[in-house]
């Protein structure tokens, strides 16, 4: 069983500690877990993501959701942060996303260009910055260099660094795909090696034949997991990548819209396995506002739950409570 | 016979001398040799290297091994250094690896991107930095430029510079491969020419037909060595590359896991030929902890041995002891 | 009773922790205490200090004493560090003194000018820097600004900062003098407030009428202490200033040459009261070499002693040992 | 007839003048000519060049040769300069080669990457820097930019700039090859245009059919020279490129090992035509040491000879001496 | 007896070593001693110093003297260096004096302002820089800071640093005067402490009542020396300050014009006591040219003499030669 990483376990500068404390204990669930609301999809995917719920095209929609739903923080690129945060300043912590791209060109040499700085984040009063690292992309040279400078600035300014660690690019696709266990597990380790404070990961595909193109040890893992029931395989996959993230707190993303039950079960398993939190966007704001608040509330209950209880319920672990 | 290069033979600034003295005489064997524990494989190869011994996925495992095994130093990228060294600070010298890559994209134009700086190394209290130079890669232009800046920073700060001098890339493969004598010998000289203080080399393949694609003088060497017994050919290969490294101290790497007897014999020959030390990773931590300590101890005995004694045992050199 | 401050009690960056660990545990007594040998008197007082023992005019004398006496470190200005440390590199830790002055001009507006940098210290492989802060001097404006920059550089490079916190100048003399309890106590607090890692203090004059010019509460302290025996008053004075230094480790200086018995008793009381260490110069090297080694050895025994034992012997504290 | 360019003919800053005076008059032949010993082949070609004379693999071999043979200077990359020059400091002038490459990847887009700086050269006490410019390479854009910065730094520091002006790359090969008169002549002019103080050229192939792919006027030249005897054609080729170099002093290189008689004749013609000097490497150190000194001596006699005398002997020019 | 400090005794960077080698072995006496010709008096004293020998007002006069007399170097401020060195470039080494003042205002707070830089010195091809440090002046704060930056630049560029270490200012005058043994001895030590490579000192007044205002140990020295004959007292004074200069080479200045016999005897004693050299200005050029060359020649003979021989002649030391 993986223990959830707590702030006091980490060797951090005072500035990083102070800002992370705000995210982990002063906002959101407040028990050392995180629930983040990302709203960078307008850049990454375009306005197409707002079609299912037109009001969501107005960033104020997500700001209100973050505030009323008491999220731990909201994720914005610089333009939205500058234009929409005024009335939420200090109420909703800001995570400034520093790099981005559109999804128009091919992902074969994926690279996410830096368009704002850690100094911007300081200036805007952000409590963390976000950076997308495309692990395994043919452009990883550029990415590592760009990332290294961001990391150094984060240390200079005491700014927590959240890495969207995404396997991507033609070479990744040739070895099992960007959601294979191999790829996500590697991405988790890379974030730990290169100095992320928090890493955002996708839940790896634990039952997907794509894994069959992965290196042998991962293929074997896939073979072993084939026989297991869904939740058990999910759990092993999640624990594997959390282990690889080491002393980097892990957030799992929601990805595209799924059913409520799938979403809640995903949340339960991730949190039971020691994740620090969740970063759910489309699943939260591709709904009517009230419905968004409601599902937020149900997710928050999972974040606030005791891990031991979650694990007993999900995995039948531990002694029977009296 | 090649003499082992000693600290007092080198014209070094006070800062480099001080830090190297710590590595060579204040930690590890303490007699001017080095035993380094690298743990950058999680970035270079991914978590796949930890499958044979799952506890090794936690970098604290290697920290403990380095401390209890009294290694001369441990090699980390910035993320692991920052997160795991607190309780080993000052006890286990840190070598900060400045550049890296994943092995997901093709090696044809191999380049290892700098993601941390010599100033980071100073700030973390490191005693040396590591840099991977891909000799012969089509990207060597970028690499030489990046390296030159690192070297200059090392001089500015008095920081010893250890170069992983690795022949790599499509052109190398076409001329005998990255482990051919030709390629490793060239890599050794390049490190000396460009200003490494210490060079990490792989033992060249001295009996491998790959060498037959190498330039003529190296092919001829290979022809001469074919007739020799294994140890004698190994010795000549090692002496050749140590000669080419000149006034750069040489470390030999262990590479992937081999048998204990092969490992120890490799260690003996390398040290008998004038190497300064060994940098063995997977061979040390892809084992249960106690077993890792035990093999460490046996390697250390070789490092502590008198070169004359080693040479007499291995090569029958010198007068009979009474 | 004041507890001795230990490295693990402090919130330090990895670089400062690493370098302090070397000073506190890898050299000298090695139990978290410090014994430093300063040799900056040639600048501060001129060659006059070498008359009692002419060989001491050659800085190699102090280097040898530091090495053979196994001091925790030696304190040099940049010129001597550059010229004399080569053969002691890595064996005797260097503390680079960054600022200095001659004692030729008046001390009325005392200011110690910076003539080397934290970057110089990094370049020379020093494990700490020293800075003289003249607390209360009419020049303290300049001093605070100069100091603030040094402190920031120390943080940038992970370099421990030892402050010679010396009350000085005409205003100090008018309020009881630079060795009054008032002045030294204030100086201890200033070092803590401005960001020293370690502070060097003189033992305040605890029985000296000079204190009668100090502010009222300090005069009262002096009145109370008049009735006590010498050691008890000494102890209270030392504990007072160590308390004011807070989370700054305290070193006491020896000052000009005194008798062996006075020196040892001073050492005992300082260490029993929770000082981290001693920085004794003239008392150590204004003697023949062998005699210097001998007194060093006796001082080291005090540093190595258990605080509880020291306190029981000196102050009759604690349970009787069986 | 081309006059040899003398220091006093050039409009140079005081620093360049001072350093060139050292090379031209204080060391080597001392009459305004130059004899340089290059030892950058270990980087450019690899250790393969040391097979004919194994002791030459130790850079100290070339240092000794330069000192005992009283060369005007020795050419090193930064690593060798730093490691081997200590005992020759001030005795053998250093020319620091700033850029380099290995010959492993293809030359089609040849580019020599800068790995040390003019400031490094100043710091090491060098009397000039060397830069390889690949004229005509598809990478010449990068090269011109890199070169422009080096040239500006040379002016800033008063550092003479020696340019290895080498036609290279696929486009050059298509127009007659890198040793065609067309290509070398162009390279000579480029060095003059872009600001070299001294240019190193290869002697062009004056009788080689390769020239037939060159632009028309050069083909015509080749046609004219075909009928001439060898020495006469050689002379015209050398005079042509010296003319193109204009107010840039010209050094001719030796290239790979040739017979003593060819080498001496080459030296005689080059010097008779107004070259400033010779830069002979493999022809000097791919020999036993004593033999290297001997050929050096014979070359030096040519450099020391009066040009008028040389021309009379070689070309039958001028009045009969009584 | 003090040994003369030789270049190989010092731990110097390659650049400093190279440039010092030129001064010590390639020019002037060439045996590790120095004879410098300073011509900064036009700034320091005004044209008044040229009245005794009007041609000396033309700096070319001193250039010619330096060249024909084969001095080790000439000392100029930037204006004269720039305007007069062209035809001596590389023939007469340049020492660029970086700071200066006129003697019009009072010396009470003496400070010599920096008006050129180490980078200027590099650009002009100088082999060393000169810096006047006014030890003990009330302005020493400014001076130490200014000096510290110059010293750091000298290290960056490998430029030797010659310090005119001059006690000066009202406080010095109150303690025995700027030529008292106390003051000169202190100045010698300060140069060593702060990082001079070479220090220029005045010979202290060893029989002067001024010393009676000095601190007690120096007064006592004066008392002891009163009884000695002139040469013996001179010798003890010179040896005292050379000892205090430690690993800093010592030059003695000539000061204002004295008789030839006094000058030669001064030279003999200084050199016999271990000085590295002499820096004589007015005594050399306040004469007709030929006379200047002649006295130069006689001084050079002293510099070239064996120290043992000098000491035997002057002090009757050592075995009688057969």
């Amino acid at each position: 069983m993986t223990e959830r990483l707590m702030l006091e376990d980490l060797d951090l500068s005072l500035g990083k500690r102070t800002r992370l404390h705000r995210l982990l204990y002063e906002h959101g669930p407040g028990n050392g877990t995180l629930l983040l609301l990302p709203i960078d999809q307008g850049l990454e995917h375009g306005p197409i993501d707002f079609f299912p719920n037109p009001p969501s095209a107005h960033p104020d929609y997500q700001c209100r959701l973050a505030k009323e739903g008491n999220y731990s923080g909201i994720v914005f690129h610089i333009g939205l942060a500058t234009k929409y945060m005024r009335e939420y300043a200090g109420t909703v912590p800001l995570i400034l996303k520093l790099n981005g791209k559109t999804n128009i060109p091919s992902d074969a040499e994926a690279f996410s260009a830096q368009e704002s700085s850690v100094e911007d984040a300081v200036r805007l009063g952000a409590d963390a910055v976000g950076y997308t690292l495309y692990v395994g992309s043919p452009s990883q040279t550029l990415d590592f260099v760009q990332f290294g400078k961001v990391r150094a600035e984060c240390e200079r300014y005491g700014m927590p660094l959240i890495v969207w660690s995404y396997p991507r690019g033609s070479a990744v696709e040739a070895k099992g795909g960007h959601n294979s266990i191999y790829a996500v597990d590697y991405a988790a380790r890379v974030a730990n090696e290169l100095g992320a404070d928090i890493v955002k990961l996708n839940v790896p595909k634990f039952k997907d034949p794509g894994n069959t193109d992965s290196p042998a040890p991962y293929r074997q893992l896939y073979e072993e997991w084939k026989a297991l029931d869904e939740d058990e395989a999910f759990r092993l996959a999640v624990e594997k990548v959390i282990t690889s993230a080491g002393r980097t707190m892990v957030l799992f993303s929601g990805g595209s819209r799924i059913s409520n039950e799938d979403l809640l079960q995903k949340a339960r398993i991730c949190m039971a396995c020691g994740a620090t939190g969740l970063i759910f966007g489309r699943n939260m704001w591709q709904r009517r506002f009230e419905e968004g608040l409601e599902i937020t509330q149900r997710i928050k209950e999972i974040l606030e739950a005791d891990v031991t209880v979650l694990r007993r319920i999900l995995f039948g672990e531990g002694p029977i409570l009296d």
Side-chain angles (χ1 to χ4, degrees), chain A:
Chain A
M1 172 187 159
T2 344
E3 294 280 341
R4 178 178 299 153
L5 206 57
M6 302 305 283
L7 188 52
E8 59 267 31
D9 302 330
L10 301 173
D11 189 20
L12 291 165
S13 71
L14 184 57
K16 287 200 174 192
R17 188 174 298 282
T18 300
R19 291 181 173 96
L20 282 176
H21 189 277
R22 273 192 219 122
L23 295 174
L24 290 160
Y25 294 102
E26 305 274 322
H27 295 270
N31 63 338
T33 65
L34 289 173
L35 180 62
L36 300 183
L37 189 69
I39 169 61
D40 59 342
Q41 294 83 352
L43 179 63
E44 298 289 335
H45 310 150
I48 205 170
D49 279 4
F50 309 125
F51 278 64
N53 180 29
S56 68
H58 304 282
D60 193 65
Y61 184 89
Q62 284 87 1
C63 286
R64 275 198 303 126
L65 184 59
K67 181 172 179 181
E68 294 184 28
N70 188 23
Y71 278 76
S72 312
I74 193 165
V75 183
F76 272 140
H77 280 282
I78 183 97
L80 302 194
T82 306
K83 292 171 186 170
Y84 293 89
M85 286 296 290
R86 186 181 197 283
E87 58 190 296
Y88 305 93
T91 307
V92 180
L94 169 66
I95 287 100
L96 186 68
K97 190 69 186 0
L98 302 184
N99 62 345
K101 63 175 190 55
T102 70
N103 66 1
I104 303 173
S106 151
D107 253 10
E109 307 201 1
F111 177 73
S112 182
Q114 191 182 345
E115 24 75 22
S116 65
S117 66
V118 181
E119 191 180 319
D120 284 324
V122 168
R123 191 170 43 80
L124 301 184
D127 283 322
V129 294
Y131 182 99
T132 298
L133 186 77
Y134 287 129
V135 174
S137 165
S139 300
Q140 76 178 3
T141 291
L142 271 178
D143 214 353
F144 277 27
V145 170
Q146 180 179 268
F147 177 75
K149 287 175 184 164
V150 166
R151 181 203 42 73
E153 288 293 286
C154 283
E155 275 161 24
R156 179 177 170 200
Y157 289 120
M159 181 63 69
L161 173 50
I162 307 179
V163 175
W164 274 233
S165 198
Y166 285 173
R168 204 62 50 98
S170 48
V172 165
E173 296 313 315
K175 292 185 183 178
H178 59 278
N179 283 330
S180 63
I181 306 158
Y182 161 68
V184 178
D185 200 36
Y186 204 149
R189 178 78 186 197
V190 169
N192 197 32
E193 293 267 352
L194 295 189
D197 295 306
I198 299 177
V199 62
K200 180 193 175 195
L201 298 172
N202 290 319
V203 171
K205 287 188 182 169
F206 43 92
K207 293 234 163 191
D208 193 277
N211 284 309
T212 53
D213 297 325
S214 299
Y218 285 94
R219 283 203 311 273
Q220 188 176 342
L221 223 52
Y222 163 70
E223 290 302 321
E224 288 167 19
W225 294 353
K226 261 204 309 210
L228 303 179
D229 76 44
E230 183 94 353
D231 281 4
E232 186 59 18
F234 189 140
R235 169 195 175 178
L236 292 174
V238 165
E239 288 187 347
K240 180 80 184 73
V241 300
I242 289 180
T243 298
S244 290
R247 290 200 184 148
T248 311
M249 289 174 167
V250 176
L251 303 179
F252 283 102
S253 57
S256 57
R257 186 75 191 274
I258 53 179
S259 79
N260 283 1
E261 264 329 293
D262 284 355
L263 190 71
L264 292 167
Q265 185 66 352
K266 183 178 188 174
R268 273 182 217 112
I269 296 178
C270 288
M271 296 310 295
C273 292
T276 288
L278 304 167
I279 173 163
F280 284 178
R282 283 168 286 171
N283 277 289
M284 312 315 268
W285 49 252
Q286 279 181 349
R287 315 179 182 247
R288 286 183 306 99
F289 193 79
E290 288 311 314
E291 209 189 315
L293 277 184
E294 198 179 302
I295 189 77
T296 298
Q297 188 46 40
R298 294 186 63 185
I299 297 287
K300 293 259 292 284
E301 282 161 15
I302 295 168
L303 289 164
E304 287 157 3
D306 188 87
V307 173
T308 321
V309 174
L310 277 179
R311 291 182 75 88
R312 196 168 52 238
I313 294 167
L314 290 166
F315 313 134
E317 267 183 22
I320 306 301
L321 281 190
D322 2 67

